[in-house]
Amino acid sequence: MTSYRYGRPALRSSVDVQLQSAFSEGNWNAVVRLAAKRAATFKDPYYEAIKMCAESQLDGTAEKCGVLVAIDELMQNKKVPDLDIIELYEWACRDFLGYEIEYAETLGPLRVRWAKANATSPLALQCMQACLEKWDLVSAQQIATTLDKTHANSTDRRYLFWNITLTFLLSISPQCTDASRKVYSLLAVRQLERAADLTENWPDSEPTDRGLRTEEEICLYYRVLLSHGTKEEFISRLQSPNLGAIRQLKKGHKLLFCEGLKALESWGEWDCIYSICREALTRGIEGETTPFFVCDLQVWKKFAVAASKAADPDNALIEVQTLLKQYIEIKDKASEMHRKNLSLALLETTFRLPVTTLDPDHNSTGLSPRVVQLGLYLDQYFERLAAFDDIKYYITELSFEEIKTFMQAVMPRIVDENSDKSRKIVLKVLECKLRYLLTTCPQTLSPQPSVANGEVQDGPFQCRLCNKPASLPCRCCLKMVISSASELYQQIACDSKLSDAIPRLDKDPRLDLALVIGISLLKLAGLKPQTSDTGPSIWKDIDPGLFLQGVLVLDVQLKVSPRDNELRLLLVQLYLLLGCASYAYQLWIPLDVKRTIQDALSPIFFDRISNISPGLFQGTRSFMEPLRAYYNNTLRDACPLRIWDAFSSGSYTSILDMVEYDSDLRRSCTMMMALVEERRAIRCFGGRIECEIEAHPLTANITESTILVNKTDYGSFPNFESINGPPLHEFLRLGPGLSNERSHLAFLSEQYLDLLAYKPPKEYKPSKANEAALRDREYTIEVLSRLSESLADLLHKPETPSRLNSGETSYYTIVSLLSAALLTAISTSRNDPPPRESLSLVTSSIKTAFATLRGTLPLSNPVENPRMPQACYAFADIQTLSWVRDAALAIRHSAGFVLAIHDKELARDRSGRSGLHRDVLAEMRALYEISGKALGEVKSTVQRLKEALAEGGWLDRLLDLVFGGEDQEEEDEVRKAVGEMVGGRAGAEEWAGKVIESWREGMKGWGMVRME
Amino acid sequence: MANFRRFRPDDLNKLSKCNLDPFTETYELGFYLQYYAKWPSLFQVAEDQHGNIIGYIMGKLESSPDVYRFSEHYLPWHAHITAVTVAPEARRLGIGRLLTEQLEAAADANNAWFVDLFVRTTNHKAIAFYKSMGYSIYRVVKDYYGDNLGDPSLPSEDAYDMRKPMKRDVKREHIREDGEKHEVDPSDVW
């Protein structure tokens, strides 16, 4: 029989042609009729099953559900079922699985029953596959155990390892009961230990033995040991002669070595790391493995760190260096990559050596061995694109004296006077990047008294590089970086020889220079990491002119280097910060983020997008469709994608990794973001939301205790910052990144809004209206109670405030309070004592929180800055506008919900006894009124912003901000440098036009947003 | 700067340095997982010190289905390079070569006759790279690609099927010197 998984099942070949044709054509009425006849004639239950299967395809509910009854009968009957019938039923009830019936409670056990009775049949394996593909681990494990016993003497080793793998998967799965978990864990460990002992004691035994032979089998053992065994056991095996990491390396298998090191590092077993690394690297030198097989940088790094933590670090590190020198002696045989790894390893070991070993005399000239080694490294690699990244962390470890010597004495000597022009430029670009890096290093500052020589000092520190009062970053140094980088930029632009040399270089040096200049300008403007503490509009804390200069420089550079992704990503984030979402989207599209990489990269553009630009959702095709389609297609089935491929290939570690990846993807913060953003946008335009968020197939397994996982990939962002501060992308977001807390708050809030929006179907007319009303109210109270408790718990978690921006904190607080208020309101009947205190306490908190949020509404607090149009503040703070609207609507709908319940009760029970309490109604009416006012304010803000944009002179105003107006004739160095780079005011006009147009598009979208 | 190791699915969250490059195709999740499920030792990555993937190779081991056994286009047990890519910032360090060598070692360990791959006939850089690694043209697959990067006005582009013999092919039976003269249709390529 053809498997149902690939479509309609094929009938047994003994079935006549007429019935076969009707079945394959989907002529279900004919199938029912013919199958009934054949059943009567042949007395074969198979025909009854065909009939049932055909009936399940008809429209009637009774016919559809007949198959469920039939399955139940099979379950009750203790006989071994017919496999063909099971397959027919499985296909027939495919739409009921997970809803009306659970596979693991019905078809799975039926398949187990059949497989146990027919263990030698090849179809028993098909049963295991079917259970696996329905992710019924309990049944799959039972079949695997049966098959393993049956094929114990087979040369097909997979039966044994399928059994073990499934037993292990079950032991870590929520499908396993707590009582059985320990048993399955022990079972998996014991079976593998027995296999491991067999291999340890008889390494060259027969192919039919039940030991560990392949790399996959061995690594499965270690994975299980890591999860269920002891650390001591793991370490002891890792060092054992036949199953140890070194033996595996000799066989050309590196996986165990890598995984072993990772486990040892997590336990802080540095002595063990040291000895394993030493042995692995020694074997490479001695020719027992390919020489550079383990010559990875992380191996050298771990080796060096382990040596520095040894009881005698001096000697241990000397041993590392000795081994390293042996490798360096044969480096001519190595690839360029391994040669570079060796050079970096040399740098690493130098930095891990105690200062006393490196420099016994404590010579403080700054020309320390560390500085010398950095110089030697750059001698070889300064022209490579990754040179800055390679040395960045080492530079930040240097003392100030060392930094000074490195920058002043070592860097200039890396290329000589007669060297090629382009090489000199590349070195100078690297120097610029390093000088920027130093502005983020605290060792470049020294504390200074707040008052010196009777004068109050400008900064809490003095910059040791420029001797000016400073705080981190030093403004004077940033200006110098901008000035020298722009000079270099101009030098390249004016020198045709240099321009011609660019295609031969690893990277266009102008790109790095523009990045340094742009980022320095952003820092100079006062841009801070966008945390929960930062104000809603970036303009309030920064110098708009400098910020816009930074954006302009980077934007102009994108025209020169349109294919550079780090620059493009940076600009996408900057334009989102500026409120230019449609322009950010134009920049985002060419990145072609699609398919598999969407989960990691989409948050960079899509997170909070419905708040800042709902208009983007208005189009012929939903612009989040690819993201939605990705999750729908990838997570459609309960089992991890391609899992059977891994089983059939005997790739046991792949199985475990794929299960873990699948579990993470099903709990993805990006997935939740996609669902929530789309729902918010739909509501903005009064569209119809397909289903309640809790009923969405993608959230089926997400409960309040599920930890949602954020996997956003910021790896392609430029990052010139030192490790002492946050990476650059944290300066550019619209608030804290995706998190478990924020995702759950969004999920719960959507559930709350779903409850308010619920309307029973028109055809729903319960015969016992009173009972139904009572049940509805009980259900509402139950949901509100759960939501209110969960929202409050989440908001009170100590880490939650740092995961939200200020608008989000207000909105989720208001929703949480609303759910509590509604709970009190609905559960207080007219005859109860007045809930005045409890309710008014909550409603006054709602009013206070909402008043605070409304107080931040754009344009409500004009900022005194004659050069900066007030509307500009608002464009960068459009999120607040959105949160005020969303909060107002939540309040309005909540109040409306309560009042509607009261009205319904009055209509149902004319006596008025079942209505809500008077105080409740008064509070709700007050809230309703407040929300109405707030929505009016939002509407008027949108109108005022649209009018402001319709006024003339925007181009000049924006360019004045960047270049200074006529009243600012005195031109500072920085502005001059920017002007030269971008072709002056005229050169910036096109850019300014795009920014303004994007603001207009954004406001056009907001003009369409419904305020009810 | 780089570490070489076997791919693991979590690496798919760290692909931006490679896959934002327009010349690197991003596939559906099932495609990557299929390779990881069936041929994990032929799916290798190079990662930088921050865990970003800066290069990877995906390959498979297979032979033509038995029904083609007597066809002249039948492919015996061999390894195939499906995709190999290196992030722009990590090029010119020999990462592509190292990844390819690792796949070849896995092919030898699995007793493959040869390793093969398809490359656009206009991708001279890649052809030169593979030739330097011992690959030679075995045949030309006419109109293999449904687009033409060199001349977008043309509807298709030919591919070279390039091969490198593995240890098993002692007599060098699976390569030919005049591969450029052997043209086949895409339907002949299994």
Side-chain angles (χ1 to χ4, degrees):
Chain A
M1 173 176 273
T2 320
S3 169
Y4 70 93
R5 283 177 295 281
Y6 306 105
R8 198 171 293 163
L11 300 182
R12 280 180 190 164
S13 55
S14 58
V15 173
D16 62 279
V17 180
Q18 198 184 3
L19 180 52
Q20 289 273 12
S21 318
F23 192 88
S24 63
E25 286 162 12
N27 189 354
W28 302 119
N29 284 314
V31 175
V32 171
R33 184 171 45 78
L34 291 170
K37 270 190 192 170
R38 306 292 184 269
T41 310
F42 300 116
K43 309 284 181 220
D44 183 347
Y46 181 62
Y47 289 101
E48 282 292 345
I50 296 175
K51 180 173 158 268
M52 199 69 76
C53 186
E55 281 177 348
S56 73
Q57 306 306 303
L58 301 175
D59 289 336
T61 312
E63 284 96 339
K64 265 191 187 308
C65 296
V67 66
L68 302 182
V69 179
I71 290 171
D72 193 48
E73 277 170 13
L74 278 185
M75 288 294 294
Q76 304 300 329
N77 183 343
K78 297 295 172 199
K79 281 185 195 164
V80 175
D82 183 325
L83 187 59
D84 290 336
I85 292 179
I86 298 179
E87 295 250 339
L88 278 175
Y89 286 171
E90 199 162 306
W91 180 77
C93 72
R94 64 198 180 282
D95 293 336
F96 294 120
L97 289 174
Y99 300 98
E100 303 300 327
I101 58 167
E102 289 302 326
Y103 193 91
E105 289 163 11
T106 51
L107 294 155
L110 286 174
R111 283 194 179 271
V112 172
R113 212 187 286 170
W114 190 90
K116 281 185 176 171
N118 300 276
T120 53
S121 163
L123 294 178
L125 181 58
Q126 201 176 303
C127 284
M128 186 180 97
Q129 183 184 349
C131 292
L132 202 55
E133 287 178 344
K134 289 285 174 290
W135 210 228
D136 171 8
L137 292 177
V138 176
S139 303
Q141 191 271 345
Q142 286 186 40
I143 300 175
T145 307
T146 305
L147 290 176
D148 183 22
K149 276 183 196 154
T150 310
H151 299 277
N153 296 318
S154 149
T155 50
D156 192 344
R157 311 168 53 74
R158 292 179 303 172
Y159 291 106
L160 167 65
F161 291 97
W162 282 337
N163 179 17
I164 296 172
T165 307
L166 278 164
T167 306
F168 175 66
L169 281 180
L170 186 57
S171 74
I172 56 169
S173 156
Q175 293 178 40
C176 187
T177 59
D178 286 343
S180 315
R181 198 174 300 282
K182 202 171 178 187
V183 177
Y184 286 118
S185 307
L186 268 175
L187 204 58
V189 173
R190 291 285 170 267
Q191 288 188 93
L192 281 167
E193 268 176 354
R194 211 176 306 138
D197 288 341
L198 199 68
T199 309
E200 272 313 353
N201 299 326
W202 294 280
D204 302 316
S205 48
E206 295 297 304
T208 51
D209 77 53
R210 292 169 70 81
L212 305 174
R213 299 173 71 86
T214 67
E215 184 183 21
E216 282 296 313
E217 292 166 4
I218 292 167
C219 287
L220 171 67
Y221 168 53
Y222 280 93
R223 292 281 187 96
V224 173
L225 213 49
L226 196 60
S227 175
H228 296 329
T230 63
K231 182 174 85 175
E232 290 70 27
E233 233 176 321
F234 186 97
I235 294 173
S236 152
R237 285 285 192 200
L238 199 64
Q239 294 168 325
S240 68
N242 286 323
L243 289 173
I246 300 299
R247 174 65 183 255
Q248 289 299 303
L249 280 178
K250 280 194 215 165
K251 286 182 175 175
H253 302 156
K254 197 175 169 184
L255 184 60
L256 177 61
F257 176 72
C258 294
E259 294 195 350
L261 281 184
K262 201 174 154 196
L264 293 172
E265 194 180 6
S266 71
W267 291 320
E269 289 289 335
W270 292 102
D271 284 348
C272 198
I273 292 175
Y274 181 77
S275 66
I276 284 188
C277 287
R278 183 183 54 190
E279 202 176 343
L281 290 162
T282 308
R283 300 287 168 132
I285 281 291
E286 288 171 358
E288 289 184 57
T289 63
T290 322
F292 296 94
F293 190 40
V294 292
C295 216
D296 294 331
L297 183 57
Q298 68 157 343
V299 175
W300 285 108
K301 276 190 165 186
K302 286 191 172 110
F303 191 24
V305 173
S308 70
K309 290 173 187 281
D312 181 359
D314 288 9
N315 273 330
L317 278 159
I318 285 164
E319 202 171 351
V320 175
Q321 288 199 319
T322 310
L323 200 48
L324 187 53
K325 273 179 197 151
Q326 287 177 281
Y327 270 96
I328 289 168
E329 279 164 21
I330 59 162
K331 75 172 183 182
D332 291 345
K333 294 178 195 162
S335 71
E336 179 62 27
M337 185 70 249
H338 284 134
R339 282 204 286 268
K340 192 175 172 194
N341 274 351
L342 290 173
S343 301
L344 281 168
L346 201 55
L347 208 50
E348 177 70 18
T349 48
T350 311
F351 272 76
R352 292 307 138 240
L353 279 170
V355 180
T356 45
T357 312
L358 282 171
D359 188 7
D361 305 329
H362 259 305
N363 189 340
S364 61
T365 58
L367 194 62
S368 67
R370 305 200 295 185
V371 171
V372 171
Q373 203 54 251
L374 272 170
L376 290 172
Y377 180 80
L378 285 186
D379 267 344
Q380 295 175 75
Y381 295 107
F382 81 90
E383 285 174 282
R384 306 317 298 254
L385 204 126
F388 174 77
D389 262 346
D390 289 340
I391 61 164
K392 183 172 123 173
Y393 293 106
Y394 298 113
I395 296 285
T396 58
E397 282 189 42
L398 296 176
S399 68
F400 179 72
E401 286 306 322
E402 285 175 314
I403 287 172
K404 210 169 146 189
T405 309
F406 176 75
M407 296 300 286
Q408 289 174 357
V410 177
M411 282 290 284
R413 288 188 197 161
I414 288 171
V415 287
D416 57 50
E417 275 303 303
N418 305 322
S419 194
D420 179 52
K421 255 184 181 180
S422 61
R423 294 188 78 215
K424 284 186 192 165
I425 285 288
V426 171
L427 185 69
K428 283 186 177 169
V429 171
L430 178 64
E431 194 184 323
C432 272
K433 287 162 85 175
L434 290 172
R435 283 175 60 194
Y436 173 83
L437 171 72
L438 293 177
T439 67
T440 68
C441 292
Q443 64 267 50
T444 59
L445 298 181
S446 58
Q448 69 167 0
S450 54
V451 179
N453 300 328
E455 284 180 26
V456 177
Q457 298 299 301
D458 289 345
F461 301 100
Q462 186 182 37
C463 176
R464 298 174 78 185
L465 289 166
C466 66
N467 295 324
K468 299 267 170 55
S471 58
L472 212 62
C474 169
R475 293 180 61 83
C476 176
C477 285
L478 280 174
K479 282 182 185 170
M480 285 198 288
V481 169
I482 293 168
S483 167
S484 48
S486 58
E487 247 173 59
L488 264 181
Y489 196 99
Q490 292 308 320
Q491 194 184 331
I492 298 167
C494 301
D495 190 326
S496 59
K497 271 190 181 171
L498 279 174
S499 303
D500 294 345
I502 288 174
R504 294 192 296 275
L505 301 174
D506 260 13
K507 189 181 185 183
D508 184 342
R510 292 171 299 177
L511 179 58
D512 269 344
L513 289 171
L515 283 168
V516 168
I517 297 166
I519 295 167
S520 300
L521 283 163
L522 299 179
K523 287 287 195 72
L524 207 52
L527 188 66
K528 299 268 184 312
Q530 301 297 304
T531 60
S532 51
D533 304 330
T534 35
S537 173
I538 48 159
W539 296 127
K540 285 178 185 160
D541 305 312
I542 65 171
D543 179 321
L546 287 167
F547 185 87
L548 288 170
Q549 284 169 19
V551 178
L552 172 59
V553 164
L554 295 168
D555 194 280
V556 167
Q557 185 58 38
L558 191 67
K559 281 193 195 142
V560 183
S561 341
R563 285 170 57 180
D564 188 79
N565 295 326
E566 56 178 4
L567 176 59
R568 191 172 282 276
L569 284 167
L570 184 60
L571 278 166
V572 165
Q573 295 270 274
L574 282 169
Y575 283 117
L576 287 174
L577 262 184
L578 275 174
C580 300
S582 60
Y583 186 32
Y585 187 47
Q586 281 177 37
L587 299 180
W588 173 256
I589 294 169
L591 288 167
D592 201 18
V593 172
K594 62 182 178 189
R595 300 178 186 147
T596 306
I597 56 174
Q598 291 183 101
D599 188 56
L601 292 172
S602 294
I604 292 170
F605 176 77
F606 288 100
D607 190 19
R608 301 182 170 103
I609 196 71
S610 66
N611 292 101
I612 58 167
S613 187
L616 280 178
F617 288 79
Q618 289 287 75
T620 46
R621 182 173 178 243
S622 162
F623 87 139
M624 286 188 97
E625 173 61 27
L627 192 52
R628 192 195 328 149
Y630 172 68
Y631 291 114
N632 285 340
N633 295 335
T634 309
L635 304 175
R636 187 177 39 220
D637 296 328
C639 77
L641 270 181
R642 296 283 178 184
I643 200 76
W644 180 249
D645 283 345
F647 267 89
S648 61
S649 308
S651 308
Y652 309 111
T653 56
S654 301
I655 294 169
L656 305 186
D657 287 341
M658 287 159 77
V659 169
E660 192 181 336
Y661 182 80
D662 180 78
S663 159
D664 282 355
L665 198 60
R666 285 175 202 277
R667 296 181 291 130
S668 159
C669 285
T670 311
M671 182 191 74
M672 188 58 80
M673 172 206 80
L675 289 174
V676 171
E677 291 296 330
E678 199 158 35
R679 288 167 60 90
R680 284 178 177 159
I682 291 172
R683 276 199 299 272
C684 278
F685 302 106
R688 194 179 144 267
I689 291 173
E690 273 176 28
C691 70
E692 294 183 353
I693 196 162
E694 228 191 341
H696 197 285
L698 291 175
T699 63
N701 293 315
I702 296 178
T703 65
E704 277 152 36
S705 59
T706 308
I707 306 284
L708 298 170
V709 185
N710 175 25
K711 296 278 184 186
T712 310
D713 176 9
Y714 291 105
S716 286
F717 269 79
N719 189 17
F720 302 156
E721 313 295 302
S722 79
I723 43 167
N724 302 298
L728 185 66
H729 63 258
E730 288 192 17
F731 289 74
L732 309 169
R733 281 189 307 229
L734 293 158
L738 287 177
S739 61
N740 171 50
E741 291 78 10
R742 179 151 68 95
S743 304
H744 267 297
L745 283 168
F747 185 38
L748 290 165
S749 301
E750 289 299 309
Q751 289 177 48
Y752 177 71
L753 296 179
D754 278 338
L755 178 76
L756 300 185
Y758 177 76
K759 283 190 179 67
K762 279 178 189 160
E763 56 271 25
Y764 176 68
K765 291 204 169 55
S767 53
K768 294 176 181 172
N770 285 351
E771 262 180 44
L774 207 64
R775 274 203 307 273
D776 280 353
R777 196 144 146 185
E778 274 171 12
Y779 171 76
T780 306
I781 289 171
E782 194 183 304
V783 174
L784 282 172
S785 166
R786 177 179 64 81
L787 291 176
S788 158
E789 199 175 312
S790 304
L791 281 161
D793 283 353
L794 260 172
L795 282 166
H796 290 133
K797 272 172 76 174
E799 55 273 31
T800 301
S802 64
R803 308 278 197 259
L804 307 171
N805 66 26
S806 56
E808 286 157 352
T809 305
S810 300
Y811 174 71
Y812 293 125
T813 305
I814 290 168
V815 173
S816 169
L817 291 166
L818 283 170
S819 62
L822 257 64
L823 182 62
T824 313
I826 296 172
S827 41
T828 312
S829 77
R830 207 171 185 83
N831 302 325
D832 287 338
R836 197 170 296 151
E837 231 173 73
S838 56
L839 185 65
S840 68
L841 202 66
V842 183
T843 50
S844 70
S845 300
I846 294 171
K847 287 172 199 161
T848 310
F850 191 46
T852 312
L853 181 61
R854 277 169 74 190
T856 59
L857 197 66
L859 300 181
S860 61
N861 303 300
V863 183
E864 276 185 34
N865 183 346
R867 290 177 56 223
M868 177 89 164
Q870 288 302 317
C872 282
Y873 289 100
F875 299 138
D877 185 19
I878 226 72
Q879 267 200 88
T880 305
L881 192 74
S882 172
W883 289 125
V884 173
R885 174 190 169 271
D886 285 0
L889 284 173
I891 294 171
R892 193 176 182 80
H893 292 150
S894 302
F897 182 78
V898 175
L899 296 172
I901 287 181
H902 177 72
D903 291 345
K904 226 189 283 172
E905 287 300 318
L906 280 187
R908 191 174 61 80
D909 176 6
R910 299 272 173 201
S911 73
R913 271 177 300 197
S914 60
L916 299 180
H917 202 283
R918 228 189 5 247
D919 289 358
V920 167
L921 299 176
E923 288 286 1
M924 290 301 141
R925 284 189 191 113
L927 284 176
Y928 196 87
E929 203 173 309
I930 292 170
S931 70
K933 273 185 194 159
L935 286 169
E937 286 167 13
V938 174
K939 206 170 179 176
S940 113
T941 307
V942 172
Q943 188 56 31
R944 283 167 66 195
L945 288 172
K946 282 174 81 176
E947 283 165 10
L949 276 171
E951 287 168 11
W954 268 94
L955 204 64
D956 282 338
R957 272 188 274 175
L958 193 62
L959 290 172
D960 283 354
L961 269 175
V962 179
F963 296 103
E966 284 172 6
D967 55 327
Q968 287 179 295
E969 280 177 5
E970 191 193 327
E971 192 161 52
D972 66 38
E973 284 276 313
V974 170
R975 201 184 310 146
K976 192 177 163 197
V978 171
E980 281 171 3
M981 270 187 79
V982 303
R985 210 177 154 100
E989 275 188 12
E990 189 191 340
W991 164 80
K994 282 181 187 168
V995 170
I996 296 161
E997 189 48 38
S998 188
W999 280 335
R1000 287 198 176 118
E1001 275 188 50
M1003 291 324 296
K1004 194 177 152 197
W1006 266 99
M1008 291 186 281
V1009 170
R1010 291 166 64 140
M1011 299 295 165
E1012 56 192 36
Chain B
M1 182 213 175
N3 308 305
F4 291 90
R5 59 167 173 79
R6 190 188 276 194
F7 165 86
R8 50 179 182 251
D10 203 34
D11 293 333
L12 296 171
N13 296 319
K14 293 279 181 184
L15 284 189
S16 66
K17 281 185 187 269
C18 286
N19 282 40
L20 287 181
D21 182 63
F23 294 112
T24 301
E25 182 60 32
T26 299
Y27 302 103
E28 292 293 352
L29 178 60
F31 189 74
Y32 295 106
L33 293 182
Q34 179 193 12
Y35 278 79
Y36 182 56
K38 292 186 176 175
W39 308 282
S41 63
L42 275 72
F43 199 162
Q44 298 282 334
V45 300
E47 67 174 352
D48 70 9
Q49 46 200 318
H50 310 296
N52 299 304
I53 303 304
I54 50 171
Y56 60 86
I57 192 165
M58 286 164 74
K60 58 183 173 180
L61 278 159
E62 62 185 8
S63 51
S64 302
D66 272 354
V67 285
Y68 295 102
R69 184 165 286 277
F70 301 105
S71 155
E72 59 172 317
H73 303 300
Y74 177 78
L75 299 179
W77 185 244
H78 69 287
H80 174 75
I81 298 176
T82 303
V84 54
T85 182
V86 177
E89 67 173 49
R91 287 176 191 158
R92 296 203 298 144
L93 287 167
I95 290 177
R97 182 176 293 268
L98 286 167
L99 288 167
T100 310
E101 282 169 3
Q102 283 171 18
L103 188 133
E104 288 166 6
D108 268 330
N110 284 282
N111 209 23
W113 287 99
F114 57 86
V115 177
D116 71 356
L117 57 95
F118 295 111
V119 58
R120 286 178 193 267
T121 52
T122 51
N123 191 349
H124 305 295
K125 235 174 161 178
I127 293 165
F129 165 74
Y130 288 119
K131 280 187 173 171
S132 76
M133 289 202 68
Y135 288 77
S136 59
I137 298 165
Y138 183 73
R139 53 186 176 172
V140 182
V141 189
K142 300 298 291 177
D143 305 319
Y144 181 75
Y145 296 104
D147 59 347
N148 193 308
L149 294 184
D151 183 354
S153 66
L154 295 174
S156 62
E157 195 173 344
D158 299 345
Y160 284 140
D161 179 359
M162 297 185 80
R163 281 187 185 182
K164 180 176 179 178
M166 293 289 101
K167 285 177 188 164
R168 184 176 182 182
D169 189 12
V170 181
K171 294 180 187 166
R172 300 292 185 256
E173 288 171 43
H174 295 283
I175 52 168
R176 47 168 81 119
E177 281 182 6
D178 58 349
E180 274 163 274
K181 292 179 189 159
H182 290 258
E183 292 185 352
V184 294
D185 287 331
S187 57
D188 297 324
V189 178
W190 181 74

